[in-house]
Amino acid sequence: MQIKKSFSMNSRTGRDLQRYNRGCRQVVGCIPYRSKKRDPSSCVQQGSTPIDDLEFLLISSQKNPRMMFPKGGWEIDESLEEAASRETFEEAGVVGEVEVQEYLGTWSFKSKSQGIFHEGHMFPLRVTEELDDWPEKSVRRRLWVKFNEAREVCWHPWMKEALDVFASKVSKRKEGTQIYHFKENTVVCCS
């Protein structure tokens, strides 16, 4: 049974509840994805890969047009999964399933605006709903793109690495299978 999560239409702000690890601010983000819209009875074309049949959601920065995946502070009153889900809702206006079992890793990076190091934790998030209204709608732009374009336009190198890890995990799912069908926004493998 899936429980629908509810979120505030106001983004969390401030650093009062922010988590730190040895002076590094803890942030969490998601790579939101969905299956391309297609006829559910169709199969993936010969030579294509499962990653080719996914679309990825990038968002613009609040301060400039640079594109990235949703991410933000992990706060002391929430789990890593809850923070990932909340940040993706606040910044991108989508909800879905944070794939905790497919954790992509942790990256250390220096914030250009604050000049301090952050630890960024990343997860895939299978989008189940795209909302018309969300907290940061007025300051962000959404863009659904294919894998190669996501790699090209994503501003942060560490996020591109997370996307590569996700692609590697998706391609490993393909091993031992020949055909992929699409059913209810999910890739189903057939031998």
Side-chain angles (χ1 to χ4, degrees):
M1 179 170 122
Q2 184 177 353
I3 299 172
K4 182 121 177 160
K5 296 175 185 168
S6 64
F7 296 103
S8 168
M9 283 302 283
N10 296 314
S11 292
R12 286 188 172 195
T13 58
R15 301 278 190 261
D16 296 344
L17 299 176
Q18 183 62 61
R19 288 181 191 253
Y20 289 86
N21 180 22
R22 297 185 202 117
C24 291
R25 181 174 176 237
Q26 300 291 290
V27 298
V28 61
C30 285
I31 296 179
Y33 75 96
R34 67 183 180 194
S35 296
K36 289 182 189 173
K37 292 180 171 60
R38 61 170 58 223
D39 176 1
S41 65
S42 69
C43 292
V44 174
Q45 304 242 332
Q46 191 89 357
S48 72
T49 65
I51 203 74
D52 295 329
D53 293 296
L54 299 177
E55 294 177 314
F56 300 89
L57 179 62
L58 289 108
I59 57 167
S60 62
S61 166
Q62 285 186 338
K63 299 172 186 155
N64 59 57
R66 294 177 180 151
M67 300 303 285
M68 65 191 70
F69 294 111
K71 62 112 178 97
W74 176 19
E75 300 188 353
I76 59 175
D77 65 340
E78 58 191 353
S79 70
L80 201 54
E81 179 183 0
E82 289 168 337
S85 193
R86 175 185 52 78
E87 286 293 343
T88 303
F89 163 73
E90 289 177 357
E91 294 185 353
V94 295
V95 293
E97 296 175 26
V98 176
E99 296 177 337
V100 178
Q101 73 283 4
E102 297 293 338
Y103 181 68
L104 300 174
T106 302
W107 284 264
S108 182
F109 63 97
K110 189 172 185 177
S111 166
K112 289 184 172 64
S113 63
Q114 299 167 349
I116 62 170
F117 279 93
H118 295 342
E119 285 181 358
H121 306 271
M122 292 294 284
F123 294 95
L125 179 133
R126 188 177 62 79
V127 174
T128 57
E129 188 175 0
E130 186 172 357
L131 306 169
D132 293 329
D133 292 307
W134 69 96
E136 298 184 17
K137 179 180 181 176
S138 65
V139 294
R140 295 197 190 266
R141 186 171 60 89
R142 292 191 288 209
L143 179 67
W144 284 100
V145 295
K146 296 178 185 178
F147 173 78
N148 288 336
E149 189 176 354
R151 265 206 108 294
E152 185 178 315
V153 301
C154 183
W155 176 255
H156 298 294
W158 69 276
M159 288 184 173
K160 290 181 185 189
E161 288 179 22
L163 182 61
D164 289 342
V165 170
F166 180 65
S168 175
K169 286 177 178 272
V170 169
S171 71
K172 286 180 183 169
R173 292 178 195 164
K174 181 182 177 187
E175 292 174 6
T177 61
Q178 298 173 355
I179 302 172
Y180 285 80
H181 295 279
F182 292 87
K183 180 179 178 181
E184 297 178 27
N185 239 5
T186 304
V187 178
V188 179
C189 306
C190 307
S191 300

